[in-house]
Amino acid sequence: MDFDETDLGMQLKDKNLFRQQCFIDGKWTDSLSGETFDVYNPSDLSLVGRMPNCSKIETIKAIDAANKAWDEWKKISGKDRSLIIRNWHQLILDNVDDLALIMTLENGKPISDSKGEIMYASWFTDWFSEEAKRAYGKTIPSTLADRRIITIKQPIGVCGIITPWNFPSAMITRKVAPALAAGCPVVIKPAGTTPFSATALVELANRAGVPKGIINLISVSEKDVGEVGDELCTNKNVRKISFTGSTNVGRALIAKSASTIKKVSMELGGHAPLIVFEDADLDEAVKGAMANKYRNSGQVCVSANRIFVHEKIHDKFAEKLAKKSSELKVSDGRKDGAQIGPLITMAAVEKVQNHVSDAKNKGAKIITGGDIDNAGKQFYKPTVMTNVTNDMKIFYEETFGPVAPLIKFSSDEEVIKMANDTNYGLAGYFFSKDIGRIWRVAEALEYGMIGVNAGVISTEVAPFGGIKESGIGREGAAEGLDEYLEIKYICFDGISN
Ligand code: NAP
């Protein structure tokens, strides 16, 4: 495809970072059919680029290439793999501006957020380049004098990596860096709406010295994704599926992976509560709620979807939150000072509209926002609403938009019960200064991650993941490496002659 001066490829310092092909066995390639699908900028609906529409056949080629390359890759020392991941890390840092621009054009998020995400993505290449050297086993005292027991950890094999559009770079490094560190090859299937952040990262991994066949990338249109997904989940040479996305797709992938008993990591949907107790520092709580709620226009799995506020401080909190929300700048992510970008698709806008109108019809009061913004069709105004109750969709479903629903409560028992009244269990937050309450509530909330007086808690050094229908497994931290390793127990007999 040719690009004129205004197009993405031409705007990059390094034009070769804009790749519109798949990557199989060390080569950039088109689909066998020659078919492509279009990728649009959600801010102005202009065409960003085209990607090959692959099928089962290219997927099998990528899996076979990965499986073949694995033989050599697993024999390389952890230290040597570490050096390659470190090179990748450095190249990501060297190309922050280009990577951020690609992300803003395909995802819509403000450039400052895109740069923030590239830095977040680089935390995982940094961390796992170090962890590559630390796949420790154990020595276990035997119950028999004549025996010695050890465990070793070994790479699981080819990993299918399926990622979402809301963090198009960080979700790739959070999975691929530990897979490489462990000694696994990967076949990546990025979101159809944001493939170019993924191809740029693969280009950099290739330049960093990742051997041919170890990183492969398959793209496919949303309408044909099932065919590629089925192959990744049922092919016997794929030993692990690592997925980040919605609970419903995750559920289907688990079911398909059962046919070949694959190990799975599932980072799924969330429905985070954020609780403000009456003893909280109100300004800190508003600051935490703003940072938590509006990042990526609320399209974040760990974003608060229900904000519970104690009745004594409810009105004051609502007023402050509404004022700050109305001051946010909604605009094309490329414009200076942009804070709220577009939602990813019209379907996402319709879901937000549906949740807001359902709540309004059932008695919720909109105190700011509540409508499409003048910035464009896919921009939704930061919205705060009060009088939210548990008969509204928003109380149970993930909204994935810039909407803050406030719910009044009067006791700790009541709010814990409401906060846990969901099938999800990813992240929960609360604001309080009472140390006894802090421990009690942190232990009582049924979530995989808890922020106490903090609205943003993701870090590469702590295990990220959910319970209940929010997922299986953890990413980041030492636990993130274990997801790509198998434990082998070795027993030595006949030690004492
Ligand atoms: P999604 O619709 O589940 O899609 C996620 C990925 O799965 C995309 O690459 C998608 O491809 C692919 N996919 C869809 N159907 C498939 C199939 N049948 N076989 C194989 N792959 C398939 O989710 P999303 O809308 O992109 O992302 C938003 C969701 O992700 C939210 O629920 C959010 O909470 C969750 N999320 C969770 C975390 C976490 O760490 N827990 C982090 C970020 C996001 P297409 O793009 O082609 O549809």
Side-chain angles (χ1 to χ4, degrees):
M1 179 182 179
D2 294 329
F3 279 87
D4 66 33
E5 292 291 316
T6 60
D7 292 311
L8 173 53
M10 301 306 292
Q11 296 175 47
L12 299 177
K13 292 181 201 154
D14 179 345
K15 296 176 184 31
N16 287 325
L17 283 183
F18 181 48
R19 291 279 177 182
Q20 300 184 84
Q21 287 181 302
C22 289
F23 194 68
I24 302 176
D25 203 14
K27 289 194 200 77
W28 291 103
T29 165
D30 294 323
S31 62
L32 283 173
S33 66
E35 257 186 59
T36 58
F37 64 94
D38 296 342
V39 177
Y40 296 98
N41 178 338
S43 282
D44 57 11
L45 307 183
S46 60
L47 185 68
V48 180
R50 295 201 169 98
M51 279 300 284
N53 191 25
C54 294
S55 67
K56 179 179 167 153
I57 303 175
E58 294 90 332
T59 312
I60 294 173
K61 274 175 91 172
I63 294 167
D64 289 348
N67 202 32
K68 192 162 158 238
W70 184 37
D71 271 352
E72 289 304 314
W73 185 237
K74 67 183 167 194
K75 287 185 205 146
I76 293 174
S77 74
K79 181 167 178 177
D80 288 339
R81 287 198 299 270
S82 160
L83 292 173
I84 293 173
I85 302 167
R86 174 67 36 190
N87 290 342
W88 190 26
H89 171 70
Q90 190 55 50
L91 288 170
I92 292 171
L93 295 181
D94 294 345
N95 290 280
V96 171
D97 291 344
D98 279 351
L99 294 171
L101 180 59
I102 293 171
M103 190 184 303
T104 290
L105 288 182
E106 65 181 359
N107 167 288
K109 65 176 75 176
I111 278 283
S112 55
D113 282 13
S114 294
K115 285 189 182 160
E117 182 182 334
I118 299 301
M119 295 315 293
Y120 177 49
S122 78
W123 297 351
F124 295 104
T125 43
D126 176 40
W127 173 264
F128 286 110
S129 71
E130 292 164 354
E131 288 298 285
K133 295 177 270 186
R134 295 181 192 131
Y136 303 132
K138 270 191 201 165
T139 307
I140 301 169
S142 167
T143 53
L144 300 175
D146 211 20
R147 288 192 168 180
R148 299 293 179 270
I149 294 174
I150 62 160
T151 62
I152 59 170
K153 289 185 180 170
Q154 294 183 298
I156 187 162
V158 178
C159 301
I161 305 283
I162 304 176
T163 54
W165 49 266
N166 65 340
F167 287 92
S169 295
M171 295 305 98
I172 287 183
T173 57
R174 202 166 79 174
K175 295 173 187 304
V176 175
L180 297 181
C184 298
V186 299
V187 178
I188 304 167
K189 205 303 283 171
T193 40
T194 56
F196 301 120
S197 294
T199 52
L201 285 176
V202 168
E203 166 67 22
L204 294 177
N206 190 34
R207 291 183 197 174
V210 175
K212 162 171 121 80
I214 296 300
I215 286 200
N216 303 274
L217 182 145
I218 292 287
S219 59
V220 57
S221 70
E222 206 180 319
K223 77 176 169 46
D224 295 323
V225 68
E227 182 179 329
V228 168
D230 284 2
E231 189 56 39
L232 285 172
C233 292
T234 57
N235 189 304
K236 69 177 174 45
N237 287 330
V238 176
R239 294 308 320 147
K240 155 134 197 155
I241 293 290
S242 178
F243 171 75
T244 295
S246 60
T247 294
N248 278 341
V249 172
R251 201 188 319 273
L253 299 182
I254 295 171
K256 284 177 191 151
S257 300
S259 64
T260 42
I261 317 289
K262 293 191 200 317
K263 185 164 172 171
V264 294
S265 293
M266 293 282 147
E267 296 290 345
L268 308 178
H271 193 48
L274 185 150
I275 307 169
V276 188
F277 287 99
E278 69 274 28
D279 65 320
D281 177 325
L282 208 58
D283 289 328
E284 280 302 309
V286 171
K287 207 166 119 196
M290 290 294 295
N292 173 288
K293 182 66 247 182
Y294 294 116
R295 200 157 53 108
N296 205 12
S297 305
Q299 301 171 112
V300 180
C301 53
V302 290
S303 240
N305 219 44
R306 295 161 301 152
I307 301 182
F308 298 98
V309 190
H310 192 273
E311 59 189 5
K312 282 192 190 152
I313 52 163
H314 175 276
D315 293 354
K316 193 88 203 134
F317 179 88
E319 188 191 316
K320 284 180 182 251
L321 188 72
K323 180 167 184 302
K324 288 223 174 294
S325 302
S326 65
E327 289 164 0
L328 290 171
K329 181 169 174 183
V330 182
S331 87
D332 186 315
R334 288 167 290 186
K335 292 203 180 133
D336 280 349
Q339 290 169 299
I340 300 281
L343 298 180
I344 190 74
T345 55
M346 268 321 285
V349 177
E350 280 155 20
K351 184 175 187 194
V352 172
Q353 284 178 311
N354 179 276
H355 278 194
V356 171
S357 65
D358 171 77
K360 239 163 94 177
N361 292 339
K362 292 175 182 162
K365 190 174 155 212
I366 311 282
I367 54 173
T368 188
D371 214 343
I372 305 283
D373 192 89
N374 290 337
K377 278 208 284 203
Q378 288 186 201
F379 291 81
Y380 202 85
K381 286 186 179 140
T383 298
V384 178
M385 52 187 180
T386 55
N387 295 359
V388 171
T389 53
N390 67 1
D391 60 338
M392 300 172 185
K393 282 187 189 170
I394 205 158
F395 197 94
Y396 289 109
E397 293 176 27
E398 194 182 25
T399 307
F400 240 50
V403 182
L406 304 194
I407 301 145
K408 242 185 223 175
F409 72 91
S410 53
S411 75
D412 291 19
E413 295 67 33
E414 179 197 15
V415 76
I416 288 167
K417 195 162 171 238
M418 284 197 287
N420 287 339
D421 182 14
T422 166
N423 293 336
Y424 295 106
L426 191 57
Y429 311 84
F430 63 92
F431 289 78
S432 167
K433 284 189 279 193
D434 176 333
I435 188 68
R437 169 183 273 155
I438 287 175
W439 272 103
R440 282 192 305 278
V441 176
E443 287 172 3
L445 288 176
E446 294 168 356
Y447 291 86
M449 297 174 280
I450 302 289
V452 182
N453 296 320
V456 178
I457 59 172
S458 300
T459 161
E460 76 279 26
V461 302
F464 187 107
I467 61 172
K468 294 161 81 178
E469 294 189 15
S470 286
I472 301 172
R474 293 294 180 269
E475 294 192 327
E479 289 83 350
L481 185 68
D482 281 340
E483 296 284 334
Y484 296 89
L485 292 165
E486 290 284 21
I487 297 173
K488 185 179 280 175
Y489 146 51
I490 306 176
C491 176
F492 302 80
D493 198 1
I495 300 297
S496 48
N497 276 326

